[in-house]
């Protein structure tokens, strides 16, 4: 079976969910942190108290300091996509995005076509 394990009704992630999320994230997902997952907590991005599921699409690795910041400091906003792309917004409105290792950002939108050269031959 490939892909993430199924959601659980329990608050604590299952062993399979823990293995999937720690393998996907590899480090604390807070922007510019990088603490190894061996020292990180699995955090519900949308808290269980607010209806967040114990599902891999709602779990990410955060070191203890950033887990506490997210939980207790007012004004911080966290959001995550099903692919594991985490967006963190500070109380002042600065937004940073982190992706799991190996997940590439979406391609840049195509810009306008470059001008085509004239069909006239060069004047030699």
């Amino acid at each position: 079976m490939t892909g993430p394990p199924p959601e659980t009704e329990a608050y604590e992630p299952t062993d399979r969910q823990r293995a999937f999320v720690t393998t996907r994230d590899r480090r604390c997902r807070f922007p510019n942190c990088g603490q190894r997952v061996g020292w990180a907590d699995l955090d519900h991005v949308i808290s269980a108290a607010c209806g967040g599921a114990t599902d891999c699409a709602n779990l990410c690795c955060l070191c203890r300091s950033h887990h506490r910041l997210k939980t207790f400091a007012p004004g911080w906003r966290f959001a995550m996509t099903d692919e594991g792309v985490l967006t963190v917004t500070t109380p002042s409105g600065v937004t940073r995005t982190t992706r799991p290792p190996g997940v590439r950002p979406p391609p840049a939108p195509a810009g306008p076509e470059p001008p085509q050269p004239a069909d006239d031959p060069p004047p030699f």
Side-chain angles (χ1 to χ4, degrees), residues 11-84:
Y11 173 78
E12 286 292 321
T14 65
D15 290 341
R16 288 182 56 216
Q17 287 174 323
R18 183 172 301 283
F20 180 88
V21 173
T22 57
T23 301
R24 178 194 69 197
D25 291 354
R26 300 185 198 158
R27 303 213 173 259
C28 172
R29 293 294 304 284
F30 195 86
N32 300 318
C33 178
Q35 181 67 261
R36 294 181 314 231
V37 294
W39 297 97
D41 299 330
L42 256 59
D43 176 59
H44 289 79
V45 176
I46 299 171
S47 72
C50 293
T54 304
D55 182 48
C56 294
N58 189 45
L59 294 169
C60 74
C61 292
L62 291 178
C63 70
R64 185 64 48 95
S65 296
H66 291 125
H67 190 176
R68 287 183 176 164
L69 176 116
K70 176 186 171 285
T71 303
F72 299 114
W76 288 82
R77 293 188 314 262
F78 287 66
M80 194 165 72
T81 67
D82 290 342
E83 294 80 30

